[in-house]
Amino acid sequence: MRIATWNINGIKARIDNLTNWLSNEKPDIVCLQEIKSVDEAFPRDKIEELGYHVETHGQKGFNGVALISAKSPDEISRGLPGDDDDIQARFIEGVYAVKGGVIRIASIYLPNGNPVDSEKYPYKLKWMARLAGHAEERLALEEPLILAGDYNVIPRPSDCHDPAAWAGDALFLPQTRAAFCKLLNLGLYDAVSGMNDTSGQYTFWDYQAGAWQKNNGIRIDHMLMSAEAADRIDSVSIHKNTRSWEKPSDHVPVVCEINYDWA
DNA sequence: ATGGCTCATACGATGAGA
């Protein structure tokens, strides 16, 4: 089974890129972030034409996540538990029947958190604590679990081109990295860096200032997995070439080959 | 370079992103 995550940066602006990529790569399940669309306006027809099932959790203007799958999920839940007042659409979770059981997959768009002296940074840290609480609950199920998405966290200095430039940024502050470590310490496996030498490997390049041409990138799109899922990984790769396409997203897909088959 | 570009909203700036 091929499972992917991609911050698409606007589904309406990126639908042709996405359908081309789906046709070429034929992933089984794709976690999308930043669809920037309400559910009703999501161009689901063009994805369904390729034989996929679509589940969205959108909002007006920004944020928004989705799950695309070759087969329908058994269950879908929208929104990260833990704060009924949080209306930002940043989390959707699906359960899919596979041979021998189920696989549970969440598409995650973790808050950016900048500027750090605003209310946005405490919101980020609180969201990360809520995610840890939810992950702990799900890990207790002892299922294959994949939490994939745009974490807006640079885990280590080698995950960015210019660490000094990120020193005071919400993506790289010690507290942010500590909160990410806390997630891992629950027993989640960091599949991208675990399966690859990720030093200098990035998943995001800014549109500005020739960042792509200079390879001035950061690695902030991650796949965290329970042991049940991690035990079956064959490979994980970063689809860097999509960043050179016409009208690219500023993020590229991360793809995992995992030894599960549809039920 | 003091965020240099892009998206969505809505039809001209502005907020948001990282």
Side-chain angles (χ1 to χ4, degrees), chain A residues 163-210:
Chain A
W166 292 95
D169 195 279
L171 279 66
F172 193 53
L173 280 175
Q175 264 186 287
T176 305
R177 291 157 62 189
F180 187 74
C181 280
K182 200 166 179 181
L183 276 171
L184 300 181
N185 291 340
L186 295 173
L188 289 165
Y189 179 72
D190 183 342
V192 189
S193 70
M195 296 296 291
N196 299 282
D197 176 3
T198 47
S199 177
Q201 301 297 307
Y202 309 128
T203 63
F204 168 92
W205 295 260
D206 202 289
Y207 290 122
Q208 301 183 76

Side-chain angles (χ1 to χ4, degrees), chain A residues 49-88:
Chain A
E49 277 170 20
L50 300 175
Y52 284 101
H53 184 91
V54 177
E55 295 284 351
T56 61
H57 180 41
Q59 69 179 98
K60 191 182 171 88
F62 57 109
N63 299 331
V65 286
L67 285 165
I68 293 172
S69 53
K71 295 203 177 181
S72 300
D74 292 348
E75 296 171 34
I76 286 285
S77 58
R78 293 172 172 78
L80 180 65
D83 182 357
D84 294 339
D85 294 331
D86 183 6
I87 54 164
Q88 298 193 33

